[in-house]
Amino acid sequence: MAQLDIIFEESFREPITSLELADMVGDDKNELVISTLNGDIRAFSFHLGKKPKIKEIAKTGGLPPVAAFSVGDILGNGRPDFVVGGLDNFLRVLVYLGGKLEVRGTTPVGTLPTALMVANVVDDPSAEVLVATNDKALRCYGWYDVVLDKLAHKVVERPVFSMQPLNTKNLPYSRFVFGDDSGYLYIYQYADDRLHEISRTRIGGDVNLVATGNITGSRYDETAVIADGRNLTLLSFEQQSFEKICSIRTPNNVASIRMGHLLDDPEKGQIILGLCDSSVLLYDLDDGELVELASIKTKSKAREAMIAFGDVTGNSRNEIIQAVGNDLLVLSLKSE
């Protein structure tokens, strides 16, 4: 077993609506980037020391409240950029330059963004933007000079609320996965100016959340799916189709899910859950079964917990970041 400990906590005036991590200053350490209910995007560096603290390095205000948020190298300059889908039905590309977060481009999508993903779906140095909207459309954009230019548009069967890239070793572009309330999980790929369905599999129930990551050391990413709030299914992608590895029922509804490496073994990853009762759970895959590795309940009251993970301390180990209501927490994992 392992132990999760709270090493830092900060409260904000406004509730936190999204959470991401990115190395904004190029020091091999991630900054914490949040959006708040009033539309602010704020970035903080974390300093451990005897008394851990965060320092705000950039802030932008006056934007509409955020509906969807993602990060990636859109401009192709080796630095992270931020894409924000607003409640005003616009996409905005934000760049960190000269100590400021600035809006570099604005693109109308006509209706409300429901899911957003930044990933290299083309063999190109810059990442593309995939956005789902509540009119059941998927749109793919690429950055050209000063604007996001639409590369493809496809209407799918049901609205999409969670979407993630599906990476393959030695493949220079990503496919992507998403689910819907009809109980299916889909793999799509961009090619020839179109979005193509590669595969679909029946999960059952309302597919609320998806996460991807390489946790077994195989050539393909694995995919974790949350259906009906509490049913967690882990799948592998082999021979152009999904294969079920295992499934469990979580102790409470899941608000956020990530996959990645939190232990010393570089080949073996974990699944991290933020639950609706303020808990964080860490699962390990052991002999084809998901085993609880660590858990912590950070608040006495039940609240939805958003999570992210990455090295925010500069110690070459990943920490878990949790956002619960107005509070931002940094959690460390200790192996026993």
Side-chain angles (χ1 to χ4, degrees), residues 100-227:
K100 296 181 180 180
L101 274 172
E102 298 180 350
V103 177
R104 179 61 62 89
T106 303
T107 303
V109 291
T111 185
L112 183 68
T114 56
L116 192 58
M117 181 192 82
V118 176
N120 288 85
V121 298
V122 179
D123 182 7
D124 187 271
S126 60
E128 286 70 47
V129 177
L130 272 295
V131 59
T133 49
N134 65 353
D135 59 355
K136 300 188 292 185
L138 292 177
R139 297 174 176 89
C140 179
Y141 294 89
W143 183 261
Y144 288 90
D145 294 329
V146 295
V147 68
L148 286 174
D149 184 49
K150 188 164 67 174
L151 305 177
H153 182 172
K154 183 177 179 65
V155 176
V156 293
E157 297 171 11
R158 309 289 296 174
V160 176
F161 295 99
S162 186
M163 183 166 47
Q164 292 294 327
L166 187 69
N167 296 312
T168 305
K169 288 182 180 178
N170 302 319
L171 196 67
Y173 60 88
S174 297
R175 300 179 177 96
F176 62 99
V177 299
F178 62 89
D180 62 24
D181 60 7
S182 69
Y184 279 95
L185 181 69
Y186 303 85
I187 300 178
Y188 267 63
Q189 178 178 321
Y190 172 78
D192 303 322
D193 300 324
R194 292 192 299 166
L195 295 171
H196 303 267
E197 181 181 315
I198 302 300
S199 179
R200 69 169 70 185
T201 189
R202 178 75 175 173
I203 300 295
D206 185 350
V207 178
N208 314 103
L209 296 167
V210 298
T212 56
N214 196 310
I215 65 171
T216 64
S218 68
R219 183 186 174 201
Y220 300 97
D221 277 2
E222 284 75 40
T223 302
V225 181
I226 300 295

Side-chain angles (χ1 to χ4, degrees), residues 6-26:
I6 300 171
I7 61 173
F8 175 79
E9 183 174 353
E10 180 87 357
S11 294
F12 296 87
R13 280 186 173 183
E14 296 282 340
I16 299 169
T17 55
S18 54
L19 170 66
E20 291 288 348
L21 301 181
D23 182 3
M24 298 172 61
V25 299

Side-chain angles (χ1 to χ4, degrees), residues 286-306:
D286 185 10
D287 196 24
E289 297 293 334
L290 287 173
V291 178
E292 185 179 311
L293 185 66
S295 66
I296 186 172
K297 183 173 170 60
T298 59
K299 300 291 177 181
S300 58
K301 294 183 178 180
R303 292 182 179 178
E304 292 189 357
M306 288 178 288

Side-chain angles (χ1 to χ4, degrees), residues 215-290:
I215 65 171
T216 64
S218 68
R219 183 186 174 201
Y220 300 97
D221 277 2
E222 284 75 40
T223 302
V225 181
I226 300 295
D228 289 339
R230 293 180 63 179
N231 297 323
L232 169 59
T233 301
L234 181 64
L235 305 106
S236 63
F237 179 64
E238 301 285 349
Q239 303 299 322
Q240 299 297 303
S241 63
F242 280 115
E243 293 184 9
K244 180 178 174 181
I245 299 175
C246 61
S247 62
I248 60 170
R249 186 166 173 82
T250 61
N252 207 308
N253 283 353
V254 179
S256 182
I257 180 170
R258 304 272 181 153
M259 297 173 68
H261 298 270
L262 288 164
L263 300 178
D264 293 332
D265 187 348
E267 294 296 325
K268 191 175 182 181
Q270 290 75 42
I271 298 176
I272 315 151
L273 302 180
L275 303 186
C276 292
D277 65 351
S278 308
S279 295
V280 175
L281 264 65
L282 188 63
Y283 283 104
D284 199 25
L285 184 64
D286 185 10
D287 196 24
E289 297 293 334
L290 287 173

